[in-house]
Amino acid sequence: MDYSAVVKEKTLYVNSSILAEKSSFFYKLFSNGMKESKMAHITVRITASEEAPFMELLKFMYNNSLYVTSPPRLLDILMAADKFGVASCMIYCIRVLLNIPMTPEFASLYLDLPYSVLMTEFVWPLVVAAKKYLVARYKDVTKHQEELMRLPLAGIMALLSSDELQVASEDVLYEFVLMWARTQYPSLEERREILRAKLIPFIRFPYMTFRKLKMVQSCNEFENEVTSKLVLDAMYFKAEAPQQKRILAAESASTTRFFIERSYKYRPIKVVEFEHPQQQCVVYLDLRREECANLFPSGQVCSRPFHLGGHVFFLSAHCNMDPQSSYHCFGLCFGMYENDSTNCGVDYEFEVRSRPTLEYICKFKGNFIFTGGREAVGFKNFFSTPWTSFMAEDNLYFIDDVLHLKVDLTVRN
């Protein structure tokens, strides 16, 4: 049978005017004609764990201050203030908490508050600060895996919701999520529920590779009907026209951000392959203006690996110093990952889409023989112009703030 037991009773003498002024709960209790408003003695029922924070809350309503400095205790008082409608105390607690140096433990505590408290406008500055701290600290997920394995669920969810994670690809983030879930939830049944309800919505499946999407479908830690829909949605997105992709991304911006691309270390590319009459591929790399701006003064962004003629290649865009003119400029190259002794001759052609025709125009073409090791060939000053001119608003190569690059590669036998 369900029952409740009264552990103890405590009698307090209070000023009803002070409590009604500070608390919406007590205002209603003392002034709206309820039977309690006419009684000399009223009873407020709370749990044993709420007693200490409730007493601190009463003190605050008289003194407008707290002598508590511990974040866990302040959070207890914050929840009591929310329950009894003491907005001034909530604001006070948030202000104190924001002045306490953030740690991973504190950030996780803040993000793990009850949903009703998290949705309160007074709490949002604390939520935002906690998320920013975790993303800034763990932006490169692969560098902090051991520490992240101990991070609670609320912290992991905050990380996954960010667009700024510096992971190689969504494939890597997917594997990290599985590893974390297996560490935290040894029970397969419990792990499936956590993945389905809490973590899967934050994985950007449309930006995973086809190979990894196939593996998702066969993973026994996901329910088939869930993964089938996610994989189909991802496949359809990959096949959509760019304009429709932008629409889908905008629609998901305020929810799970499922269709929004993160700041991947290895940029997604589109590859069109041909086996006959020659082994050839056409690689498309699009860079947003803000991504290009972030390359200055010595940054680099690499594409995901792609295969051609049994070899693995990549594209690399970077900002560097022109050796002849001594100014910063935009560079572009392609290279080979492998370290073998097999010679590989490649014909190449670099192109970029330009206004006003919006057609691709050839910038450079030639050939190169790879002889083993990680080699690259390209152009340090791709546009033969200083960085400031390259980033100018009237640059003909930025179309709707996107730079469209294309590289045509053919392996010569």
Side-chain angles (χ1 to χ4, degrees):
M1 295 176 62
D2 292 333
Y3 69 95
S4 60
V6 178
V7 178
K8 65 178 178 179
E9 291 183 353
K10 180 180 290 189
T11 301
L12 302 173
Y13 296 92
V14 298
N15 185 313
S16 60
S17 298
I18 292 176
L19 268 59
E21 179 187 356
K22 297 293 180 65
S23 162
S24 60
F25 173 86
F26 285 110
Y27 176 81
K28 293 176 182 177
L29 194 65
F30 292 131
S31 64
N32 69 351
M34 294 173 61
K35 65 178 183 178
E36 288 86 355
S37 64
K38 301 176 182 178
M39 297 171 60
H41 298 85
I42 62 172
T43 301
V44 176
R45 294 180 181 273
I46 58 174
T47 64
S49 62
E50 291 177 314
E51 180 182 359
F54 179 71
M55 296 302 294
E56 293 293 340
L57 180 63
L58 288 177
K59 293 177 186 177
F60 177 87
M61 286 191 276
Y62 279 89
N63 304 320
N64 289 316
S65 63
L66 295 170
Y67 297 100
V68 175
T69 57
S70 163
R73 290 186 63 191
L74 282 167
L75 290 179
D76 288 339
I77 297 171
L78 176 69
M79 288 188 284
D82 176 67
K83 179 176 180 177
F84 291 98
V86 188
S88 58
C89 186
M90 294 186 71
I91 295 171
Y92 182 95
C93 290
I94 295 299
R95 186 167 65 246
V96 174
L97 288 167
L98 287 172
N99 285 323
I100 296 175
M102 193 76 72
T103 67
E105 293 75 19
F106 291 164
S108 297
L109 279 175
Y110 304 155
L111 295 170
D112 202 29
L113 286 166
Y115 182 78
S116 60
V117 180
L118 287 175
M119 291 298 101
T120 307
E121 60 176 319
F122 308 121
V123 181
W124 266 105
L126 188 64
V127 172
V128 171
K131 286 185 176 182
K132 283 184 176 180
Y133 171 81
L134 290 176
V135 172
R137 182 181 179 90
Y138 301 118
K139 185 177 290 187
D140 192 337
V141 172
T142 55
K143 285 185 178 180
H144 304 278
Q145 281 202 7
E146 185 175 345
E147 190 174 344
L148 284 170
M149 288 299 112
R150 301 190 295 271
L151 199 67
L153 176 62
I156 295 297
M157 291 172 64
L159 278 180
L160 294 179
S161 67
S162 172
D163 302 338
E164 305 305 318
L165 296 185
Q166 304 253 323
V167 290
S169 66
E170 198 70 21
D171 291 6
V172 173
L173 201 60
Y174 165 78
E175 291 294 341
F176 162 76
V177 170
L178 281 185
M179 187 187 308
W180 180 89
R182 289 164 182 164
T183 302
Q184 293 284 335
Y185 301 94
S187 166
L188 177 59
E189 184 177 348
E190 187 179 11
R191 184 163 69 249
R192 276 181 172 175
E193 179 59 23
I194 290 294
L195 285 168
R196 182 193 65 78
K198 301 293 185 180
L199 298 178
I200 283 181
F202 292 104
I203 299 175
R204 318 280 173 90
F205 288 91
Y207 295 97
M208 291 170 63
T209 61
F210 287 106
R211 177 177 172 272
K212 187 62 69 175
L213 287 173
K214 289 180 181 178
M215 294 175 66
V216 171
Q217 285 187 300
S218 59
C219 180
N220 70 340
E221 285 159 302
F222 301 116
E223 298 169 352
N224 289 335
E225 58 271 22
V226 175
T227 53
S228 295
K229 184 180 186 310
L230 289 169
V231 171
L232 279 175
D233 287 346
M235 295 289 195
Y236 281 128
F237 179 82
K238 289 177 180 290
E240 290 285 5
Q243 181 180 0
Q244 184 61 28
K245 287 182 178 180
R246 288 192 290 271
I247 293 173
L248 290 170
E251 290 175 348
S252 71
S254 60
T255 54
T256 62
R257 307 183 75 78
F258 184 74
F259 294 112
I260 293 180
E261 192 174 348
R262 301 186 201 268
S263 299
Y264 300 113
K265 285 183 181 179
Y266 298 142
R267 292 287 293 120
I269 51 177
K270 183 175 182 180
V271 182
V272 181
E273 299 181 57
F274 302 93
E275 288 291 334
H276 303 286
Q278 303 177 89
Q279 291 184 318
Q280 178 186 8
C281 71
V282 182
V283 185
Y284 297 88
L285 171 65
D286 294 343
L287 297 175
R288 299 188 300 274
R289 184 185 287 273
E290 61 185 282
E291 289 179 302
C292 294
N294 290 336
L295 295 177
F296 185 86
S298 57
Q300 179 183 21
V301 60
C302 290
S303 75
R304 288 179 181 170
F306 60 93
H307 296 78
L308 178 64
H311 301 277
V312 184
F313 295 91
F314 64 92
L315 295 183
S316 173
H318 46 271
C319 176
N320 48 238
M321 188 71 72
D322 184 277
Q324 296 180 342
S325 306
S326 298
Y327 56 65
H328 287 92
C329 54
F330 178 86
L332 183 66
C333 68
F334 76 94
M336 180 187 287
Y337 274 114
E338 293 169 288
N339 184 16
D340 59 39
S341 57
T342 305
N343 289 355
C344 175
V346 179
D347 293 332
Y348 60 82
E349 183 172 345
F350 289 83
E351 300 178 44
V352 60
R353 196 188 293 272
S354 175
R355 292 183 288 171
T357 63
L358 304 184
E359 295 180 354
Y360 283 98
I361 60 173
C362 178
K363 296 292 289 183
F364 302 99
K365 62 190 309 182
N367 55 73
F368 186 81
I369 297 177
F370 291 92
T371 58
R374 180 163 176 159
E375 299 174 290
V377 57
F379 304 91
K380 289 189 173 181
N381 193 350
F382 188 78
F383 294 104
S384 302
T385 187
W387 186 263
T388 51
S389 300
F390 164 66
M391 290 301 300
E393 289 295 328
D394 60 353
N395 187 329
L396 299 178
Y397 302 116
F398 279 103
I399 302 170
D400 294 329
D401 284 334
V402 177
L403 182 67
H404 302 270
L405 300 165
K406 173 185 173 186
V407 181
D408 192 324
L409 302 177
T410 304
V411 171
R412 289 186 284 109
N413 296 323

PDB file of all heavy atoms in Angstrom, residues 212-241:
ATOM      1  N   LYS A 212      29.767   3.610 -42.058  1.00  0.00           N
ATOM      2  CA  LYS A 212      29.384   3.599 -40.652  1.00  0.00           C
ATOM      3  C   LYS A 212      27.864   3.463 -40.495  1.00  0.00           C
ATOM      4  O   LYS A 212      27.389   2.806 -39.558  1.00  0.00           O
ATOM      5  CB  LYS A 212      29.869   4.877 -39.977  1.00  0.00           C
ATOM      6  CG  LYS A 212      29.680   4.897 -38.467  1.00  0.00           C
ATOM      7  CD  LYS A 212      30.468   3.796 -37.761  1.00  0.00           C
ATOM      8  CE  LYS A 212      31.956   4.032 -37.818  1.00  0.00           C
ATOM      9  NZ  LYS A 212      32.716   3.029 -37.046  1.00  0.00           N
ATOM     10  N   LEU A 213      27.104   4.042 -41.401  1.00  0.00           N
ATOM     11  CA  LEU A 213      25.650   3.907 -41.341  1.00  0.00           C
ATOM     12  C   LEU A 213      25.222   2.451 -41.492  1.00  0.00           C
ATOM     13  O   LEU A 213      24.261   1.997 -40.856  1.00  0.00           O
ATOM     14  CB  LEU A 213      24.992   4.769 -42.421  1.00  0.00           C
ATOM     15  CG  LEU A 213      25.001   6.283 -42.182  1.00  0.00           C
ATOM     16  CD1 LEU A 213      24.483   7.019 -43.403  1.00  0.00           C
ATOM     17  CD2 LEU A 213      24.175   6.639 -40.946  1.00  0.00           C
ATOM     18  N   LYS A 214      25.935   1.699 -42.318  1.00  0.00           N
ATOM     19  CA  LYS A 214      25.642   0.272 -42.460  1.00  0.00           C
ATOM     20  C   LYS A 214      25.895  -0.460 -41.141  1.00  0.00           C
ATOM     21  O   LYS A 214      25.148  -1.364 -40.753  1.00  0.00           O
ATOM     22  CB  LYS A 214      26.501  -0.330 -43.559  1.00  0.00           C
ATOM     23  CG  LYS A 214      26.115   0.107 -44.971  1.00  0.00           C
ATOM     24  CD  LYS A 214      27.019  -0.543 -46.007  1.00  0.00           C
ATOM     25  CE  LYS A 214      26.652  -0.102 -47.417  1.00  0.00           C
ATOM     26  NZ  LYS A 214      27.561  -0.702 -48.431  1.00  0.00           N
ATOM     27  N   MET A 215      26.950  -0.035 -40.432  1.00  0.00           N
ATOM     28  CA  MET A 215      27.275  -0.670 -39.158  1.00  0.00           C
ATOM     29  C   MET A 215      26.221  -0.334 -38.101  1.00  0.00           C
ATOM     30  O   MET A 215      25.927  -1.149 -37.224  1.00  0.00           O
ATOM     31  CB  MET A 215      28.661  -0.215 -38.688  1.00  0.00           C
ATOM     32  CG  MET A 215      29.796  -0.680 -39.590  1.00  0.00           C
ATOM     33  SD  MET A 215      31.402  -0.012 -39.097  1.00  0.00           S
ATOM     34  CE  MET A 215      31.631  -0.792 -37.510  1.00  0.00           C
ATOM     35  N   VAL A 216      25.658   0.874 -38.182  1.00  0.00           N
ATOM     36  CA  VAL A 216      24.604   1.276 -37.242  1.00  0.00           C
ATOM     37  C   VAL A 216      23.418   0.323 -37.352  1.00  0.00           C
ATOM     38  O   VAL A 216      22.830  -0.093 -36.349  1.00  0.00           O
ATOM     39  CB  VAL A 216      24.152   2.729 -37.509  1.00  0.00           C
ATOM     40  CG1 VAL A 216      22.906   3.066 -36.694  1.00  0.00           C
ATOM     41  CG2 VAL A 216      25.271   3.709 -37.169  1.00  0.00           C
ATOM     42  N   GLN A 217      23.056  -0.035 -38.571  1.00  0.00           N
ATOM     43  CA  GLN A 217      21.901  -0.904 -38.788  1.00  0.00           C
ATOM     44  C   GLN A 217      22.077  -2.284 -38.183  1.00  0.00           C
ATOM     45  O   GLN A 217      21.100  -2.938 -37.816  1.00  0.00           O
ATOM     46  CB  GLN A 217      21.622  -1.030 -40.289  1.00  0.00           C
ATOM     47  CG  GLN A 217      20.978   0.213 -40.894  1.00  0.00           C
ATOM     48  CD  GLN A 217      20.561  -0.011 -42.321  1.00  0.00           C
ATOM     49  OE1 GLN A 217      21.383  -0.315 -43.182  1.00  0.00           O
ATOM     50  NE2 GLN A 217      19.270   0.135 -42.579  1.00  0.00           N
ATOM     51  N   SER A 218      23.324  -2.727 -38.074  1.00  0.00           N
ATOM     52  CA  SER A 218      23.568  -4.066 -37.541  1.00  0.00           C
ATOM     53  C   SER A 218      23.971  -4.050 -36.065  1.00  0.00           C
ATOM     54  O   SER A 218      24.283  -5.088 -35.497  1.00  0.00           O
ATOM     55  CB  SER A 218      24.668  -4.758 -38.357  1.00  0.00           C
ATOM     56  OG  SER A 218      25.875  -4.006 -38.313  1.00  0.00           O
ATOM     57  N   CYS A 219      23.972  -2.880 -35.432  1.00  0.00           N
ATOM     58  CA  CYS A 219      24.369  -2.772 -34.025  1.00  0.00           C
ATOM     59  C   CYS A 219      23.222  -3.238 -33.128  1.00  0.00           C
ATOM     60  O   CYS A 219      22.108  -2.711 -33.199  1.00  0.00           O
ATOM     61  CB  CYS A 219      24.759  -1.326 -33.696  1.00  0.00           C
ATOM     62  SG  CYS A 219      25.261  -1.091 -31.979  1.00  0.00           S
ATOM     63  N   ASN A 220      23.484  -4.216 -32.265  1.00  0.00           N
ATOM     64  CA  ASN A 220      22.410  -4.781 -31.433  1.00  0.00           C
ATOM     65  C   ASN A 220      22.054  -3.892 -30.247  1.00  0.00           C
ATOM     66  O   ASN A 220      21.172  -4.229 -29.458  1.00  0.00           O
ATOM     67  CB  ASN A 220      22.798  -6.179 -30.939  1.00  0.00           C
ATOM     68  CG  ASN A 220      23.914  -6.140 -29.901  1.00  0.00           C
ATOM     69  OD1 ASN A 220      24.645  -5.149 -29.805  1.00  0.00           O
ATOM     70  ND2 ASN A 220      24.058  -7.222 -29.160  1.00  0.00           N
ATOM     71  N   GLU A 221      22.732  -2.765 -30.089  1.00  0.00           N
ATOM     72  CA  GLU A 221      22.423  -1.858 -28.983  1.00  0.00           C
ATOM     73  C   GLU A 221      21.338  -0.844 -29.356  1.00  0.00           C
ATOM     74  O   GLU A 221      20.961   0.005 -28.553  1.00  0.00           O
ATOM     75  CB  GLU A 221      23.696  -1.134 -28.535  1.00  0.00           C
ATOM     76  CG  GLU A 221      24.591  -2.063 -27.732  1.00  0.00           C
ATOM     77  CD  GLU A 221      26.035  -1.601 -27.685  1.00  0.00           C
ATOM     78  OE1 GLU A 221      26.648  -1.441 -28.752  1.00  0.00           O
ATOM     79  OE2 GLU A 221      26.548  -1.419 -26.583  1.00  0.00           O
ATOM     80  N   PHE A 222      20.872  -0.927 -30.597  1.00  0.00           N
ATOM     81  CA  PHE A 222      19.778  -0.062 -31.039  1.00  0.00           C
ATOM     82  C   PHE A 222      18.607  -0.925 -31.485  1.00  0.00           C
ATOM     83  O   PHE A 222      18.792  -2.024 -32.009  1.00  0.00           O
ATOM     84  CB  PHE A 222      20.214   0.824 -32.211  1.00  0.00           C
ATOM     85  CG  PHE A 222      21.371   1.722 -31.895  1.00  0.00           C
ATOM     86  CD1 PHE A 222      22.572   1.571 -32.550  1.00  0.00           C
ATOM     87  CD2 PHE A 222      21.244   2.726 -30.954  1.00  0.00           C
ATOM     88  CE1 PHE A 222      23.637   2.397 -32.262  1.00  0.00           C
ATOM     89  CE2 PHE A 222      22.300   3.555 -30.666  1.00  0.00           C
ATOM     90  CZ  PHE A 222      23.510   3.399 -31.314  1.00  0.00           C
ATOM     91  N   GLU A 223      17.411  -0.410 -31.293  1.00  0.00           N
ATOM     92  CA  GLU A 223      16.217  -1.099 -31.773  1.00  0.00           C
ATOM     93  C   GLU A 223      16.101  -0.905 -33.280  1.00  0.00           C
ATOM     94  O   GLU A 223      16.325   0.193 -33.794  1.00  0.00           O
ATOM     95  CB  GLU A 223      14.986  -0.543 -31.065  1.00  0.00           C
ATOM     96  CG  GLU A 223      15.017  -0.770 -29.560  1.00  0.00           C
ATOM     97  CD  GLU A 223      13.937   0.007 -28.834  1.00  0.00           C
ATOM     98  OE1 GLU A 223      13.281   0.829 -29.502  1.00  0.00           O
ATOM     99  OE2 GLU A 223      13.769  -0.196 -27.627  1.00  0.00           O
ATOM    100  N   ASN A 224      15.743  -1.955 -33.998  1.00  0.00           N
ATOM    101  CA  ASN A 224      15.747  -1.929 -35.463  1.00  0.00           C
ATOM    102  C   ASN A 224      14.877  -0.827 -36.042  1.00  0.00           C
ATOM    103  O   ASN A 224      15.270  -0.142 -36.985  1.00  0.00           O
ATOM    104  CB  ASN A 224      15.290  -3.286 -36.011  1.00  0.00           C
ATOM    105  CG  ASN A 224      16.326  -4.368 -35.797  1.00  0.00           C
ATOM    106  OD1 ASN A 224      17.514  -4.065 -35.678  1.00  0.00           O
ATOM    107  ND2 ASN A 224      15.904  -5.612 -35.742  1.00  0.00           N
ATOM    108  N   GLU A 225      13.675  -0.633 -35.467  1.00  0.00           N
ATOM    109  CA  GLU A 225      12.780   0.372 -36.032  1.00  0.00           C
ATOM    110  C   GLU A 225      13.334   1.784 -35.844  1.00  0.00           C
ATOM    111  O   GLU A 225      13.093   2.669 -36.662  1.00  0.00           O
ATOM    112  CB  GLU A 225      11.389   0.280 -35.408  1.00  0.00           C
ATOM    113  CG  GLU A 225      11.327   0.431 -33.904  1.00  0.00           C
ATOM    114  CD  GLU A 225      11.479  -0.887 -33.164  1.00  0.00           C
ATOM    115  OE1 GLU A 225      12.028  -1.838 -33.757  1.00  0.00           O
ATOM    116  OE2 GLU A 225      11.040  -0.953 -32.005  1.00  0.00           O
ATOM    117  N   VAL A 226      14.107   1.982 -34.765  1.00  0.00           N
ATOM    118  CA  VAL A 226      14.710   3.299 -34.518  1.00  0.00           C
ATOM    119  C   VAL A 226      15.839   3.561 -35.502  1.00  0.00           C
ATOM    120  O   VAL A 226      15.900   4.610 -36.152  1.00  0.00           O
ATOM    121  CB  VAL A 226      15.229   3.395 -33.066  1.00  0.00           C
ATOM    122  CG1 VAL A 226      15.974   4.717 -32.854  1.00  0.00           C
ATOM    123  CG2 VAL A 226      14.073   3.288 -32.085  1.00  0.00           C
ATOM    124  N   THR A 227      16.752   2.603 -35.620  1.00  0.00           N
ATOM    125  CA  THR A 227      17.907   2.804 -36.488  1.00  0.00           C
ATOM    126  C   THR A 227      17.499   2.855 -37.962  1.00  0.00           C
ATOM    127  O   THR A 227      18.097   3.603 -38.734  1.00  0.00           O
ATOM    128  CB  THR A 227      18.943   1.686 -36.284  1.00  0.00           C
ATOM    129  OG1 THR A 227      18.310   0.409 -36.439  1.00  0.00           O
ATOM    130  CG2 THR A 227      19.555   1.773 -34.918  1.00  0.00           C
ATOM    131  N   SER A 228      16.511   2.083 -38.334  1.00  0.00           N
ATOM    132  CA  SER A 228      16.088   2.096 -39.742  1.00  0.00           C
ATOM    133  C   SER A 228      15.634   3.486 -40.164  1.00  0.00           C
ATOM    134  O   SER A 228      15.993   3.982 -41.232  1.00  0.00           O
ATOM    135  CB  SER A 228      14.957   1.083 -39.960  1.00  0.00           C
ATOM    136  OG  SER A 228      15.410  -0.220 -39.742  1.00  0.00           O
ATOM    137  N   LYS A 229      14.842   4.125 -39.314  1.00  0.00           N
ATOM    138  CA  LYS A 229      14.374   5.472 -39.642  1.00  0.00           C
ATOM    139  C   LYS A 229      15.529   6.471 -39.674  1.00  0.00           C
ATOM    140  O   LYS A 229      15.618   7.318 -40.569  1.00  0.00           O
ATOM    141  CB  LYS A 229      13.324   5.927 -38.631  1.00  0.00           C
ATOM    142  CG  LYS A 229      12.728   7.299 -38.972  1.00  0.00           C
ATOM    143  CD  LYS A 229      11.699   7.743 -37.975  1.00  0.00           C
ATOM    144  CE  LYS A 229      11.018   9.037 -38.404  1.00  0.00           C
ATOM    145  NZ  LYS A 229      11.948  10.092 -38.795  1.00  0.00           N
ATOM    146  N   LEU A 230      16.432   6.380 -38.689  1.00  0.00           N
ATOM    147  CA  LEU A 230      17.565   7.309 -38.633  1.00  0.00           C
ATOM    148  C   LEU A 230      18.455   7.172 -39.864  1.00  0.00           C
ATOM    149  O   LEU A 230      18.877   8.170 -40.460  1.00  0.00           O
ATOM    150  CB  LEU A 230      18.384   7.052 -37.369  1.00  0.00           C
ATOM    151  CG  LEU A 230      17.735   7.463 -36.046  1.00  0.00           C
ATOM    152  CD1 LEU A 230      18.525   6.909 -34.872  1.00  0.00           C
ATOM    153  CD2 LEU A 230      17.640   8.978 -35.948  1.00  0.00           C
ATOM    154  N   VAL A 231      18.741   5.934 -40.238  1.00  0.00           N
ATOM    155  CA  VAL A 231      19.610   5.702 -41.397  1.00  0.00           C
ATOM    156  C   VAL A 231      18.928   6.160 -42.684  1.00  0.00           C
ATOM    157  O   VAL A 231      19.553   6.774 -43.547  1.00  0.00           O
ATOM    158  CB  VAL A 231      20.004   4.213 -41.479  1.00  0.00           C
ATOM    159  CG1 VAL A 231      20.721   3.921 -42.795  1.00  0.00           C
ATOM    160  CG2 VAL A 231      20.901   3.841 -40.302  1.00  0.00           C
ATOM    161  N   LEU A 232      17.623   5.882 -42.818  1.00  0.00           N
ATOM    162  CA  LEU A 232      16.900   6.332 -44.009  1.00  0.00           C
ATOM    163  C   LEU A 232      16.873   7.856 -44.095  1.00  0.00           C
ATOM    164  O   LEU A 232      17.099   8.437 -45.169  1.00  0.00           O
ATOM    165  CB  LEU A 232      15.468   5.789 -43.988  1.00  0.00           C
ATOM    166  CG  LEU A 232      15.275   4.345 -44.464  1.00  0.00           C
ATOM    167  CD1 LEU A 232      13.840   3.912 -44.268  1.00  0.00           C
ATOM    168  CD2 LEU A 232      15.673   4.199 -45.930  1.00  0.00           C
ATOM    169  N   ASP A 233      16.625   8.527 -42.963  1.00  0.00           N
ATOM    170  CA  ASP A 233      16.638   9.987 -42.949  1.00  0.00           C
ATOM    171  C   ASP A 233      18.006  10.526 -43.356  1.00  0.00           C
ATOM    172  O   ASP A 233      18.106  11.515 -44.087  1.00  0.00           O
ATOM    173  CB  ASP A 233      16.272  10.512 -41.556  1.00  0.00           C
ATOM    174  CG  ASP A 233      14.794  10.333 -41.228  1.00  0.00           C
ATOM    175  OD1 ASP A 233      14.021  10.061 -42.177  1.00  0.00           O
ATOM    176  OD2 ASP A 233      14.418  10.461 -40.054  1.00  0.00           O
ATOM    177  N   ALA A 234      19.060   9.863 -42.874  1.00  0.00           N
ATOM    178  CA  ALA A 234      20.414  10.295 -43.218  1.00  0.00           C
ATOM    179  C   ALA A 234      20.694  10.108 -44.706  1.00  0.00           C
ATOM    180  O   ALA A 234      21.276  10.979 -45.361  1.00  0.00           O
ATOM    181  CB  ALA A 234      21.431   9.503 -42.390  1.00  0.00           C
ATOM    182  N   MET A 235      20.257   8.971 -45.255  1.00  0.00           N
ATOM    183  CA  MET A 235      20.467   8.695 -46.679  1.00  0.00           C
ATOM    184  C   MET A 235      19.723   9.701 -47.548  1.00  0.00           C
ATOM    185  O   MET A 235      20.264  10.225 -48.532  1.00  0.00           O
ATOM    186  CB  MET A 235      19.991   7.276 -47.008  1.00  0.00           C
ATOM    187  CG  MET A 235      20.786   6.174 -46.330  1.00  0.00           C
ATOM    188  SD  MET A 235      22.443   5.981 -47.005  1.00  0.00           S
ATOM    189  CE  MET A 235      22.874   4.371 -46.333  1.00  0.00           C
ATOM    190  N   TYR A 236      18.467   9.964 -47.195  1.00  0.00           N
ATOM    191  CA  TYR A 236      17.680  10.928 -47.968  1.00  0.00           C
ATOM    192  C   TYR A 236      18.318  12.311 -47.924  1.00  0.00           C
ATOM    193  O   TYR A 236      18.344  13.029 -48.920  1.00  0.00           O
ATOM    194  CB  TYR A 236      16.241  10.988 -47.434  1.00  0.00           C
ATOM    195  CG  TYR A 236      15.366   9.846 -47.896  1.00  0.00           C
ATOM    196  CD1 TYR A 236      14.646   9.070 -46.987  1.00  0.00           C
ATOM    197  CD2 TYR A 236      15.250   9.535 -49.251  1.00  0.00           C
ATOM    198  CE1 TYR A 236      13.853   8.023 -47.411  1.00  0.00           C
ATOM    199  CE2 TYR A 236      14.450   8.489 -49.680  1.00  0.00           C
ATOM    200  CZ  TYR A 236      13.752   7.729 -48.757  1.00  0.00           C
ATOM    201  OH  TYR A 236      12.964   6.681 -49.189  1.00  0.00           O
ATOM    202  N   PHE A 237      18.831  12.687 -46.755  1.00  0.00           N
ATOM    203  CA  PHE A 237      19.466  13.999 -46.619  1.00  0.00           C
ATOM    204  C   PHE A 237      20.694  14.101 -47.528  1.00  0.00           C
ATOM    205  O   PHE A 237      20.912  15.122 -48.186  1.00  0.00           O
ATOM    206  CB  PHE A 237      19.870  14.229 -45.169  1.00  0.00           C
ATOM    207  CG  PHE A 237      20.544  15.557 -44.940  1.00  0.00           C
ATOM    208  CD1 PHE A 237      19.798  16.713 -44.778  1.00  0.00           C
ATOM    209  CD2 PHE A 237      21.926  15.651 -44.888  1.00  0.00           C
ATOM    210  CE1 PHE A 237      20.415  17.947 -44.567  1.00  0.00           C
ATOM    211  CE2 PHE A 237      22.560  16.866 -44.678  1.00  0.00           C
ATOM    212  CZ  PHE A 237      21.799  18.015 -44.519  1.00  0.00           C
ATOM    213  N   LYS A 238      21.499  13.049 -47.558  1.00  0.00           N
ATOM    214  CA  LYS A 238      22.699  13.061 -48.395  1.00  0.00           C
ATOM    215  C   LYS A 238      22.349  13.236 -49.873  1.00  0.00           C
ATOM    216  O   LYS A 238      23.113  13.825 -50.639  1.00  0.00           O
ATOM    217  CB  LYS A 238      23.493  11.761 -48.209  1.00  0.00           C
ATOM    218  CG  LYS A 238      24.196  11.638 -46.860  1.00  0.00           C
ATOM    219  CD  LYS A 238      24.885  10.293 -46.751  1.00  0.00           C
ATOM    220  CE  LYS A 238      25.606  10.135 -45.415  1.00  0.00           C
ATOM    221  NZ  LYS A 238      26.790  11.018 -45.310  1.00  0.00           N
ATOM    222  N   ALA A 239      21.175  12.727 -50.266  1.00  0.00           N
ATOM    223  CA  ALA A 239      20.775  12.790 -51.679  1.00  0.00           C
ATOM    224  C   ALA A 239      20.049  14.085 -52.028  1.00  0.00           C
ATOM    225  O   ALA A 239      19.797  14.352 -53.210  1.00  0.00           O
ATOM    226  CB  ALA A 239      19.887  11.596 -52.011  1.00  0.00           C
ATOM    227  N   GLU A 240      19.706  14.899 -51.020  1.00  0.00           N
ATOM    228  CA  GLU A 240      18.938  16.119 -51.276  1.00  0.00           C
ATOM    229  C   GLU A 240      19.787  17.180 -51.974  1.00  0.00           C
ATOM    230  O   GLU A 240      21.012  17.196 -51.871  1.00  0.00           O
ATOM    231  CB  GLU A 240      18.408  16.699 -49.955  1.00  0.00           C
ATOM    232  CG  GLU A 240      17.308  15.890 -49.299  1.00  0.00           C
ATOM    233  CD  GLU A 240      15.965  16.037 -50.008  1.00  0.00           C
ATOM    234  OE1 GLU A 240      15.906  16.695 -51.059  1.00  0.00           O
ATOM    235  OE2 GLU A 240      14.974  15.488 -49.489  1.00  0.00           O
ATOM    236  N   ALA A 241      19.096  18.088 -52.673  1.00  0.00           N
ATOM    237  CA  ALA A 241      19.760  19.243 -53.270  1.00  0.00           C
ATOM    238  C   ALA A 241      20.233  20.176 -52.165  1.00  0.00           C
ATOM    239  O   ALA A 241      19.660  20.195 -51.072  1.00  0.00           O
ATOM    240  CB  ALA A 241      18.791  19.975 -54.204  1.00  0.00           C
TER     241      ALA A 241
END
